[in-house]
Amino acid sequence: MARIAVTDGMAAAAIAMLEREGHEVVLEHHQTDALLGGVLASFDAVVVRSATKLTAAVIAASAGESGGLKLIGRAGVGADNIDLSAATENGVLVCNTPGSSTQSVVELTIGHLLASVRHIGPGTQGLRQGEWRKSELRGTELSGKRLGLIGFGRIAQGVGRVASALGMELNAYDPYLKANVARDHGCQLHSSVDEVFRRCTHITVHCNLSDETHHLVNAKRIGLMTGRGADGIECGNHLVNCARGGIVDEQAVLDALESGQLASVSLDVFENEPTTADNRLLQHHAFQGTPHIGAATLEAQTRIGFEMAELLIDFFSGKTPKSVVNRDVL
Ligand code: MLT
C-alpha cells in the first residue's frame, strides 16, 4: 500500500476513500527548505495544489536515487508549479484533474465580468462608508457587446455559453483549436490574437502560461481595443483573467487603467502570488480582484478530491491513470 503526502489540502471524503483502500495519507504543508531537504523522499506519491512548488531540485531530492516518489498528483489543472522535465527524468508520473474545476472557473469569470461592468465592488464599498453613489455608478450591459476569449478550451467554451445567453457576440483566438469546434459554439475563431483585441471590448483569458503566452496581454494589444460595443455603446474596454498570472502584463494594465484605455481590470491570478498590497494595480479604483479562487468552491474541491483519489488508486493497483501530463514516463 502507498504512503501519500498531501501538502495543500484535499476533501475529507477523498482522503477517506484512499484510506479505505489501505493507503496511508499524511496531510502536511512543507516549506521550501524541508522540500529541498528531501521530506518527500519517504513517500510514494505527493498531491499538491498551486501553493507547493515542485522544482527540479525538490524532485531530485524526492525521487530517483534520492527517494521513492513515483507519482505527483496536481489537484487542479495547471501543472506550471511542477518541473515536468525533472519529473520525467526521475521517472515520476504527473497526473492532474483537468475537468473538475471547469464550472467553478466559468462562474467566477462571468462573476468578474458582471461585477466590473456594474460596479458591484465600488457600490458595496461606498455603502459601507455611508455613501449613496447612485449617479456615479452607471454601468453598461454585456448584451450587445463583443467578447474575445483568449484560448477556447473547456472553460472558455463554458464562459462562451453563458456570455452568448446574455447576448454577447463570441470571438476567440486559439491556434490549437479546430475551426469546427468554435463554429459549433457559435464563436468566430480568428487566426490573429491582435484581431480579437481590435474587434472586442471585453476580453477573458483562458490559455496556459508558457513562453508563447507570457505577457500576451500587453500595452500594444490593449491599445488596439476601441471601447465601442457592437451596439454602438461607448462601454469602454474590460479585461478578466482567471487563468494564470504572467499572461497579463500587470504594469501595462495599470498604465491602461490610468490612461482610461481600460475601463476595468479583474484578476484572480497574479504575476507573483500571493500578491501584496504594495502592488499598485490593486489600489486602482477600477481594479477588481480575488486571491486565486477559481477552483475554490465546495463542489469543485470535492470533485477534484475524488478524481485525484481515483487516479492514485488506479496507479497503485497497476492501472494507467486517465489524466497523465508527462506520458513519456509510461
Ligand atoms: C488550477 O490550475 O486548477 C487552478 O488555478 C486552481 C489552483 O491552482 O488552485
Side-chain angles (χ1 to χ4, degrees):
M1 290 297 108
R3 244 189 127 224
I4 301 166
V6 174
T7 63
D8 304 324
M10 192 177 195
I15 293 175
M17 183 171 157
L18 286 165
E19 288 173 341
R20 268 197 308 277
E21 293 290 317
H23 299 302
E24 181 191 348
V25 179
V26 180
L27 265 174
E28 189 180 353
H29 184 73
H30 302 290
Q31 301 301 331
T32 310
D33 284 356
L35 293 171
L36 288 169
V39 70
L40 298 178
S42 64
F43 289 90
D44 301 295
V46 60
V47 177
V48 300
R49 287 173 63 190
S50 51
T52 299
K53 313 287 176 222
L54 297 178
T55 59
V58 170
I59 293 170
S62 322
E65 284 171 18
S66 313
L69 199 67
K70 295 163 200 69
L71 184 139
I72 295 171
R74 168 64 171 97
V77 185
D80 46 310
N81 55 325
I82 300 163
D83 190 312
L84 292 176
S85 318
T88 305
E89 271 164 35
N90 285 281
V92 183
L93 199 67
V94 180
C95 298
N96 67 349
T97 57
S100 295
S101 51
T102 303
Q103 186 61 20
S104 293
V105 184
V106 166
E107 292 185 14
L108 185 67
T109 305
I110 294 290
H112 269 299
L113 262 180
L114 284 167
S116 59
V117 295
R118 298 308 303 272
H119 312 297
I120 291 175
T124 309
Q125 214 169 354
L127 289 173
R128 281 206 188 105
Q129 291 161 354
E131 294 166 3
W132 191 255
R133 297 168 63 189
K134 185 176 166 87
S135 55
E136 222 182 292
L137 297 182
R138 191 176 61 184
T140 49
E141 295 174 356
L142 292 177
S143 174
K145 311 301 184 298
R146 295 191 177 108
L147 176 63
L149 302 121
I150 309 300
F152 201 66
R154 285 190 195 86
I155 294 171
Q157 291 168 20
V159 168
R161 269 193 292 278
V162 182
S164 173
L166 288 169
M168 300 189 90
E169 176 197 294
L170 307 186
N171 296 265
Y173 171 74
D174 189 330
Y176 305 103
L177 191 83
K178 294 201 181 88
N180 65 307
V181 177
R183 229 183 3 254
D184 291 350
H185 283 81
C187 175
Q188 196 179 333
L189 191 63
H190 297 267
S191 56
S192 132
V193 68
D194 289 1
E195 191 49 37
V196 174
F197 278 80
R198 215 172 271 126
R199 186 167 174 81
C200 300
T201 45
H202 297 64
I203 298 282
T204 55
V205 177
H206 306 285
C207 53
N208 294 330
L209 175 65
S210 65
D211 289 347
E212 197 189 341
T213 61
H214 181 253
H215 286 188
L216 179 147
V217 180
N218 55 33
K220 183 185 135 256
R221 294 204 168 107
I222 294 166
L224 299 173
M225 300 173 80
T226 64
R228 195 180 169 85
D231 55 4
I233 300 290
E234 299 289 342
C235 56
N237 299 314
H238 304 266
L239 170 72
V240 178
N241 182 12
C242 295
R244 270 295 175 273
I247 301 168
V248 170
D249 177 345
E250 288 178 12
Q251 183 59 51
V253 297
L254 175 59
D255 294 344
L257 283 175
E258 284 174 346
S259 72
Q261 175 61 12
L262 278 175
S264 79
V265 171
S266 306
L267 301 183
D268 182 52
V269 288
F270 297 85
E271 299 205 53
N272 293 305
E273 294 186 7
T275 195
T276 48
D278 58 5
N279 181 348
R280 286 204 307 122
L281 174 59
L282 274 52
Q283 308 309 331
H284 195 281
H285 65 87
F287 166 82
Q288 173 177 278
T290 43
H292 201 149
I293 56 168
T297 60
L298 188 55
E299 295 88 341
Q301 288 306 316
T302 306
R303 282 192 297 265
I304 287 170
F306 282 129
E307 193 175 342
M308 184 49 65
E310 249 174 60
L311 292 167
L312 289 159
I313 291 167
D314 280 353
F315 179 76
F316 288 112
S317 57
K319 294 188 203 139
T320 303
K322 66 174 186 236
S323 311
V324 176
V325 181
N326 57 345
R327 301 203 74 86
D328 293 353
V329 172
L330 292 173

